[in-house]
Amino acid sequence: MIPNTLKKLLDNAACISFDIFDTAVIRAVLKPVDVFLLVAGKFTALGGIVTVDFQRVRIESERMAREKAWNQRGSAETTLDEIYQCMRDDFAVTNQVTDQLKEIEIDIEKKVCVKNEYIYSLYRYCLDQGKNVVFASDMYLPLDVVLTILKNTGYNSYSRVFLSSSLGKTKSTGDIYALMLQELS
């Protein structure tokens, strides 16, 4: 049930923007970084040998990739490819291993992401009211992966997805909102 005060806000808006991760879509893990434990476990189950503490190295590689993205191009966001490149460059994990780990991470993200039923009800209400619906997210995953996750979780109708990893702009800095306002008038 949608509270009347929220319905009024939605009814008065021309465009409704939903955040994706940890809002419209939630991961069926205790903490988002638990995905990295699942990645390492699946890699090992497939016969791979992880020679580093994968969860720690994955977290640190993301931090380093964000720092490099900021220093090299002034972007607060990074990409999954850049994260795994840091793992190669800074932790000497081989290309073959990082390629496998990255594919496993993408696969697990697709599997652990489920729709948030309450947000989905708001989304359906907005569509039923003929609202322009968009999604925005600060996320390092590639756009095609995020679009698959949206589709798999039932979010099939929207006019645009604003994704920081593909745009180089983030919600955290506010840059993505300026772009959204410009594109959506």
Side-chain angles (χ1 to χ4, degrees), residues 22-52:
D22 304 322
T23 303
V25 172
I26 52 179
R27 292 178 178 102
V29 292
L30 188 58
K31 300 175 293 206
V33 295
D34 290 346
V35 166
F36 308 147
L37 294 175
L38 296 173
V39 171
K42 183 170 182 182
F43 182 74
T44 301
L46 293 172
I49 299 171
V50 182
T51 58
V52 295

Side-chain angles (χ1 to χ4, degrees), residues 48-184:
I49 299 171
V50 182
T51 58
V52 295
D53 175 351
F54 178 72
Q55 185 181 39
R56 183 190 64 76
V57 167
R58 173 59 180 76
I59 291 167
E60 185 62 13
S61 294
E62 183 175 338
R63 186 198 62 74
M64 294 167 76
R66 288 183 189 284
E67 186 176 297
K68 287 178 184 180
W70 182 256
N71 291 335
Q72 292 172 359
R73 60 180 187 274
S75 175
E77 188 56 277
T78 190
T79 67
L80 193 62
D81 287 337
E82 291 170 337
I83 293 166
Y84 277 89
Q85 188 62 51
C86 280
M87 202 177 295
R88 289 180 195 103
D89 296 344
D90 300 307
F91 295 96
V93 181
T94 68
N95 288 350
Q96 181 182 6
V97 169
T98 56
D99 289 347
Q100 290 175 319
L101 289 167
K102 182 171 66 170
E103 289 307 313
I104 292 170
E105 182 174 340
I106 289 169
D107 183 58
I108 287 176
E109 285 282 9
K110 289 177 184 177
K111 289 178 179 168
V112 301
C113 288
V114 297
K115 81 176 107 175
N116 177 329
E117 294 292 345
Y118 180 70
I119 299 299
Y120 188 77
S121 71
L122 299 177
Y123 161 81
R124 291 297 325 156
Y125 177 80
C126 292
L127 291 179
D128 292 345
Q129 301 307 306
K131 299 296 179 180
N132 182 18
V133 172
V134 299
F135 286 93
S137 187
D138 281 350
M139 173 50 74
Y140 49 77
L141 289 171
L143 180 60
D144 65 314
V145 173
V146 173
L147 294 176
T148 299
I149 290 169
L150 285 171
K151 180 181 177 188
N152 290 350
T153 54
Y155 296 99
N156 298 310
S157 297
Y158 47 85
S159 62
R160 178 90 155 76
V161 173
F162 294 88
L163 187 66
S164 62
S165 63
S166 62
L167 297 170
K169 300 177 184 304
T170 65
K171 294 184 329 178
S172 64
T173 62
D175 295 348
I176 207 165
Y177 296 121
L179 177 66
M180 292 169 71
L181 288 170
Q182 177 186 345
E183 287 193 18
L184 300 170

